[in-house]
Amino acid sequence: MSRRDGPAGPTVFIVDDDPDLRAALAGLFRSVDLATTAYASAAEFLNTKRSDGPGCLVLDVRMPGLSGLDFQAQLAGLGIHLPVILMTGHGDIPMSVRAMKAGAVDFLTKPFRDQDMLDAVMTALARDAERRSRDAGLLAVRTAYETLTAREREVFVHVTAGLMNKQIAGLLDLSEITVKIHRGHVMRKMAARSLADLVRMAQALGIVPG
Amino acid sequence: MSRRDGPAGPTVFIVDDDPDLRAALAGLFRSVDLATTAYASAAEFLNTKRSDGPGCLVLDVRMPGLSGLDFQAQLAGLGIHLPVILMTGHGDIPMSVRAMKAGAVDFLTKPFRDQDMLDAVMTALARDAERRSRDAGLLAVRTAYETLTAREREVFVHVTAGLMNKQIAGLLDLSEITVKIHRGHVMRKMAARSLADLVRMAQALGIVPG
DNA sequence: AACGGAATTATACGGAGGTTTCATCCGGGT
DNA sequence: ACCCGGATGAAACCTCCGTATAATTCCGTT
C-alpha cells in the first residue's frame, strides 16, 4: 500500500477511513504506475513525516475527526498546496459546490468509475506540476530578493518602474552615482542579465511602483 | 422587469422559463439597485440586441431548448464572457461539479435564500469587473501592436528579451543603427515610456523569445 | 579598539541607447 | 510617371548606463 516516491514520480495520498477502499484505490493507482500512500484520517496524514514531493490528495468527505471538506479548507494554512480530489457516498450539491469553490480538482460520488478517478488524479497531478514549476522559478527570485538591502530594494522598485537613474536620485535624495552603485548591486544579486530580466522578476514578485 | 443599464452600473441577465421566478429575481435585484433584463430561453437571450456592458448571467439549468449547462458551455465560443450563476430544482452532484469546472461562479438549488443569490451575483459582478479592467488594458496594447510592421515586431521581441541593439543587429543581419530606428518606432507606436513599460507589454501580449 | 558591511559621493572612462539629418532602394497604388 | 510608406544605413551628437578607483561616514560585531 506504500511505495517509495523517489525522483521517479508523484505520489497519490489517500485519506479514507475505509480500509477496503484504501486498498482498492492503491491497487487502481498502482495499475498506472503511480506511487501511493494511504492514511485512515486527516490527523494521521498530518502526523506522518512525508516528503514534500509532487502529488495530490484523494480525500473522503465523511471521516472520523476532521472531515474532508474541513481538511481541505485548512491545507493552504498549513502550507500544503497539493491539489485535492474529494469523494463522498452521501454528499449534496451545496457540499460539492463549496468544495469546488475551495479549489478542489473534482468531487466524485461513490461509487465512481475507475476511469473518472484516474482522470481526476491526472488532472490534479498536472495542476501540481504546473504550480511547482512556477514556484520553483519564483523561489530563486524570492531568495535573491531577500539578499537585497533596504536601499537596494527602493532602487529596484524605481528601476523596474522605468525611471532613469537621475529621477531615482531625485526621489530618494541621492546622487546619481549612488543610484548607479545600488542598481549595479541589484543586477548582480538578482542575477539579472538585462533590465528586461529584472522587470520580469519584479512582475513575478508582484512589485509595483504604486 | 427591465431597466436601462447606462453608465450607472452592471446588469443582471436572467434566463429562466418560469415567469414567476423571473419576476421574483428581478424584484430581488431591484431591491439592491441592480438593473436586470430577463429572458425566457437561451435563444431569446442570444437573439436580443444587448449592450456588451458589465453584468452577469443567472441561468436555470432546466429550460426548453438549450439547457443552462449547454448554454454555459457555448458562451465562450460566442464571445460572451459574462460570469454565470446556475440554478436548478432537480440537479445532482455531477451536474454541479461540471458547472463549477466550467467556471460557474455558483450553483444554487431551488429554493435558495435571497442572500445566497445576492452573494453569488456580487461575486460574479466583481469577477466581471476585474476581467473587464484587465481586458481594457490589454486591448490598447494589442491595438498598438497591430500597427507594428513585421520588422518592428522582430525587433520588439528581441528588445524585450533583453538583447543589446548590437546583438539584435547580428541576429537580423542589420546594422546597429537600423535596429535603433526600428526600436524607436516600436517605443513610439506602443506608447511605451520606458523599456520597463515595453517589457510589461510584451508579457501581457504573451510574447516570448523562445 | 578594531573590523566589516552598508551607504554615500566624486572623478573618469568606455560602452550602449536614442535622435536628427540625409540619402538610397523597393513595391504599391494613383 | 509619380508619390508614399517601409526598410536600410551613414554621420554626428547627446544622453544615459555601468564600472573601477578612492574616499568618508555610520553602525553593529568581535
Side-chain angles (χ1 to χ4, degrees):
Chain A
M1 191 182 300
S2 175
R3 264 196 347 196
R4 275 283 160 265
D5 65 311
T11 301
V12 180
F13 299 98
I14 303 166
V15 184
D16 194 314
D17 60 333
D18 177 355
D20 293 338
L21 185 53
R22 290 204 299 271
L25 285 175
L28 172 62
F29 296 138
R30 191 182 307 118
S31 74
V32 291
D33 282 328
L34 281 173
T36 65
T37 310
Y39 308 87
S41 69
E44 188 184 330
F45 174 84
L46 292 174
N47 292 333
T48 305
K49 284 184 175 60
R50 286 161 288 100
S51 76
D52 55 352
C56 70
L57 274 164
V58 176
L59 305 180
D60 191 16
V61 170
R62 180 184 298 183
M63 291 186 295
L66 208 57
S67 83
L69 286 175
D70 293 336
F71 186 35
Q72 178 196 18
Q74 294 191 2
L75 285 174
L78 296 169
I80 300 172
H81 301 289
L82 294 172
V84 169
I85 295 163
L86 287 160
M87 307 174 291
T88 183
H90 304 282
D92 54 30
I93 289 182
M95 186 184 290
S96 70
V97 170
R98 175 185 156 198
M100 296 301 288
K101 281 186 186 173
V105 173
D106 212 331
F107 189 98
L108 300 171
T109 54
K110 302 180 196 174
F112 45 79
R113 287 177 299 171
D114 285 355
Q115 191 57 48
D116 286 342
M117 174 58 83
L118 289 178
D119 288 346
V121 166
M122 290 308 168
T123 301
L125 293 179
R127 195 182 289 188
D128 186 50
E130 191 190 352
R131 190 191 60 79
R132 281 172 189 278
S133 69
R134 248 186 304 116
D135 279 14
L138 208 54
L139 181 61
V141 177
R142 275 195 213 285
T143 303
Y145 184 74
E146 297 294 324
T147 70
L148 296 183
T149 67
R151 252 316 191 221
E152 286 163 354
R153 288 177 196 189
E154 289 183 288
V155 173
F156 180 91
V157 171
H158 292 121
V159 164
T160 54
L163 297 185
M164 291 185 302
N165 291 338
K166 193 183 304 181
Q167 297 174 294
I168 299 171
L171 285 174
L172 301 182
D173 196 31
L174 295 175
S175 74
E176 188 181 343
I177 188 69
T178 305
V179 175
K180 287 185 181 182
I181 300 289
H182 289 316
R183 185 172 184 154
H185 290 165
V186 170
M187 293 296 287
R188 209 183 322 284
K189 288 184 178 180
M190 298 299 294
R193 293 167 55 201
S194 65
L195 177 58
D197 259 26
L198 201 68
V199 172
R200 274 185 286 270
M201 291 180 190
Q203 283 261 282
L205 290 171
I207 289 177
V208 285
Chain B
M1 191 182 300
S2 176
R3 265 195 349 193
R4 274 285 159 264
D5 65 313
T11 301
V12 180
F13 298 99
I14 303 165
V15 184
D16 194 313
D17 60 333
D18 178 355
D20 292 340
L21 186 52
R22 290 204 300 272
L25 285 175
L28 173 61
F29 297 138
R30 190 182 307 119
S31 75
V32 292
D33 281 329
L34 281 172
T36 66
T37 310
Y39 309 87
S41 70
E44 187 185 330
F45 173 84
L46 293 174
N47 292 332
T48 305
K49 285 185 175 60
R50 287 162 286 100
S51 76
D52 54 352
C56 70
L57 274 164
V58 176
L59 305 180
D60 191 14
V61 171
R62 179 185 296 183
M63 291 186 294
L66 208 57
S67 84
L69 286 175
D70 293 336
F71 186 34
Q72 177 197 17
Q74 294 192 3
L75 286 175
L78 296 170
I80 300 172
H81 302 288
L82 293 172
V84 168
I85 294 162
L86 287 159
M87 308 175 289
T88 183
H90 305 281
D92 54 30
I93 289 182
M95 186 184 289
S96 70
V97 170
R98 175 185 157 199
M100 296 302 287
K101 281 186 187 172
V105 173
D106 212 330
F107 189 98
L108 300 171
T109 53
K110 303 180 196 175
F112 45 78
R113 286 177 298 169
D114 285 356
Q115 191 57 48
D116 287 341
M117 174 58 82
L118 289 178
D119 288 347
V121 165
M122 289 310 169
T123 300
L125 293 179
R127 195 181 290 188
D128 187 49
E130 191 190 352
R131 191 191 60 79
R132 280 170 191 279
S133 69
R134 248 186 305 116
D135 280 16
L138 208 54
L139 181 60
V141 176
R142 275 196 212 286
T143 304
Y145 183 73
E146 297 295 324
T147 72
L148 297 183
T149 67
R151 251 319 190 220
E152 286 162 357
R153 288 179 197 188
E154 288 182 286
V155 173
F156 179 91
V157 171
H158 293 121
V159 164
T160 53
L163 297 185
M164 291 184 303
N165 290 337
K166 193 183 302 182
Q167 297 174 293
I168 299 171
L171 285 174
L172 301 182
D173 195 33
L174 295 175
S175 74
E176 188 181 343
I177 188 74
T178 304
V179 174
K180 287 185 180 181
I181 301 287
H182 288 316
R183 185 173 184 152
H185 289 164
V186 170
M187 293 296 286
R188 209 181 319 287
K189 287 185 178 180
M190 298 300 294
R193 292 167 54 203
S194 65
L195 176 58
D197 258 27
L198 202 67
V199 172
R200 273 186 285 270
M201 290 181 190
Q203 283 262 283
L205 290 171
I207 290 177
V208 284

